[in-house]
Amino acid sequence: MDLQLQRADLRQFEDGEGGKAKAGLPRLTALIFAVACGLSVANVYFAHPLLDAIARDFAIDPASVGIVVTMTQIGYALGLFFIVPLGDLFDRRKLVVTQAVLSALALIVIGLSPSAAMLLASHAAVGLLAVVVQVLVAYAADLAAPEERGRAVGTVTSGVILGILLARFVAGLIADFAGWRSVYLVSAVLTLVMAAILFRVLPRHEAARPPTSYARLLGSVLLLFVEEPLLRVRAVLALLIFAGFNVLWAPLVLPLAAPPFSLSHTAIGLFGLAGVAGALGARWTGILVDRGRGQLVTGLGLALMAAAWLPIALMSKTLWLLVLGIFMLDLAIQAVHVTNQSLIFARRPDARSRLVGGYTIFYSLGSALGSIASTMTYGAWGWTGVCALGGAIGLAALVFWAVTLRLGG
């Protein structure tokens, strides 16, 4: 594909915001976006507290059961590249609602899966379709006034993080009462309800977009990485922070469900509430970014992320140390994630779907690598090995940020 032609096509998309007055994103609309994003992303993370039950049901070795989460994240990564950029080309209302309906169907297949092969394939499909989250985040950034964009992105992204964390509690609670399969069937119903709400709430008419081919649209995603050092830096940070996030959450059910803790799925899911508190604590991040303090937030967040693994490693002494570590880790990751998105959205106003799609590919790859690496590490070296891995990732992210300080914001 001719690079100059792609560049011209990309610029056609990115002529700015057209000088239109921005009415801003109403708080109620932002809240609906946040709830929709939370429900959608929860579908990707329901498996985490259920891995032991899924392993027993399908006779999967505990050291390999992380492949369930990995398949979901691989599907998610594919959707980020092949589906999310369509938000810069097609009617986002139709795109969002279609994804939600298809996602509900995939969830039903998971709930009824008779084999491990079908289970893994349907989890990949759920991941592929859950990228509706990124379409909505980019949409929220587009609707928000420039001076309030960080706050809007922070509000909607809080819904994403809350969905990830509450997924563990809700999944554990439902699984204890009705089995792990019911988690996905209940979510299928809720996803269909949300599709109906979005069909009514999302704007019915959008500004016309310049025509282009699907191939050029995808090519422009790659071109953004060539042209924007900021995007490259923030994408690598996304990979590292979400690898660290999943190093904790993917195998956590395994030591907590085993002696000496022997906790139920519901009790294990309650630890997600500590993460919820951390995510809510980071809602101010977008406001600081709007004030030009993005690098300060990033540095503090990455330092906190690395430090969080010390109390997590000492959880055998008291589970309150685990609660503290979870709070620290999720506060740090939410802060850096909101900062990342706020900064890259400001660079190319009319390419926000492609920006968030490209950025989140790295987020998803980090999640997939963290999930499989942590469960394998747990199988070989136990919880001490998992904590060493998480701490090393946190330190690597901090060093990378320091080295690329001039490019990262």
Side-chain angles (χ1 to χ4, degrees):
M1 188 177 297
D2 184 80
L3 183 61
Q4 294 301 321
L5 186 61
Q6 277 198 60
R7 190 183 301 272
D9 182 70
L10 181 60
R11 292 298 183 189
Q12 186 181 23
F13 268 88
E14 296 169 357
D15 287 334
E17 297 183 85
K20 296 178 294 184
K22 301 282 282 186
L25 182 66
R27 291 182 183 272
L28 179 59
T29 303
L31 179 60
I32 292 173
F33 274 40
V35 173
C37 287
L39 177 60
S40 297
V41 79
N43 293 329
V44 177
Y45 290 91
F46 280 140
H48 280 187
L50 308 176
L51 288 179
D52 60 330
I54 291 173
R56 288 194 302 269
D57 208 359
F58 291 98
I60 301 173
D61 186 83
S64 303
V65 73
I67 191 64
V68 174
V69 176
T70 300
M71 287 299 295
T72 311
Q73 295 294 346
I74 289 173
Y76 201 70
L78 292 173
L80 291 169
F81 185 74
F82 290 105
I83 296 177
V84 173
L86 294 175
D88 286 333
L89 185 60
F90 295 126
D91 185 310
R92 280 173 286 196
R93 177 169 172 263
K94 294 179 180 178
L95 182 63
V96 165
V97 172
T98 299
Q99 285 180 260
V101 171
L102 292 176
S103 189
L105 295 177
L107 290 165
I108 292 172
V109 174
I110 292 178
L112 302 177
S113 290
S115 66
M118 182 173 288
L119 176 82
L120 294 177
S122 50
H123 268 92
V126 165
L128 182 74
L129 295 162
V131 296
V132 66
V133 170
Q134 276 61 51
V135 178
L136 288 168
V137 171
Y139 201 0
D142 190 49
L143 292 174
E147 67 275 10
E148 297 180 345
R149 185 167 294 125
R151 188 186 68 181
V153 171
T155 297
V156 177
T157 304
S158 291
V160 177
I161 301 298
L162 293 177
I164 294 172
L165 297 169
L166 288 175
R168 293 165 171 82
F169 171 67
V170 172
L173 183 64
I174 295 175
D176 279 342
F177 283 96
W180 70 266
R181 293 176 184 271
S182 62
V183 174
Y184 293 96
L185 297 177
V186 169
S187 183
V189 174
L190 294 177
T191 301
L192 286 173
V193 171
M194 183 53 66
I197 293 172
L198 291 171
F199 184 76
R200 292 185 61 86
V201 169
L202 294 179
R204 294 180 179 273
H205 303 286
E206 295 188 61
R209 281 81 178 273
T212 190
S213 69
Y214 182 55
R216 287 182 181 178
L217 184 74
L218 296 183
S220 69
V221 177
L222 302 178
L223 190 58
L224 285 168
F225 279 97
V226 173
E227 294 188 334
E228 291 293 341
L230 172 66
L231 178 59
R232 296 195 296 269
V233 169
R234 293 291 161 170
V236 172
L237 287 177
L239 185 150
L240 292 170
I241 64 174
F242 281 95
F245 182 88
N246 282 276
V247 164
L248 171 67
W249 288 107
L252 184 60
V253 64
L254 302 176
L256 293 181
F261 301 115
S262 301
L263 300 180
S264 67
H265 286 118
T266 300
I268 294 171
L270 286 171
F271 286 95
L273 298 181
V276 169
L280 290 175
R283 288 187 71 249
W284 47 263
T285 299
I287 298 173
L288 290 178
V289 176
D290 288 336
R291 295 175 179 173
R293 310 307 296 271
Q295 287 288 22
L296 175 63
V297 172
T298 302
L300 292 176
L302 294 175
L304 185 63
M305 173 183 166
W309 287 97
L310 178 59
I312 292 171
L314 298 174
M315 74 173 190
S316 60
K317 298 184 180 297
T318 170
L319 288 177
W320 286 109
L321 286 173
L322 175 61
V323 171
L324 174 62
I326 290 173
F327 175 83
M328 293 168 62
L329 187 71
D330 288 352
L331 172 63
I333 289 172
Q334 166 75 340
V336 177
H337 184 42
V338 170
T339 302
N340 287 347
Q341 292 181 102
S342 298
L343 292 175
I344 64 173
F345 282 151
R347 285 297 174 98
R348 298 289 182 92
D350 290 341
R352 288 184 179 123
S353 286
R354 284 165 286 160
L355 282 168
V356 75
Y359 165 81
T360 317
I361 287 172
F362 284 77
Y363 152 158
S364 185
L365 289 175
S367 296
L369 292 172
S371 295
I372 194 66
S374 61
T375 52
M376 292 177 66
T377 299
Y378 182 79
W381 295 290
W383 191 245
T384 300
V386 170
C387 293
L389 175 62
I393 291 172
L395 290 174
L398 186 60
V399 170
F400 177 79
W401 167 76
V403 170
T404 60
L405 193 57
R406 292 191 301 170
L407 303 176

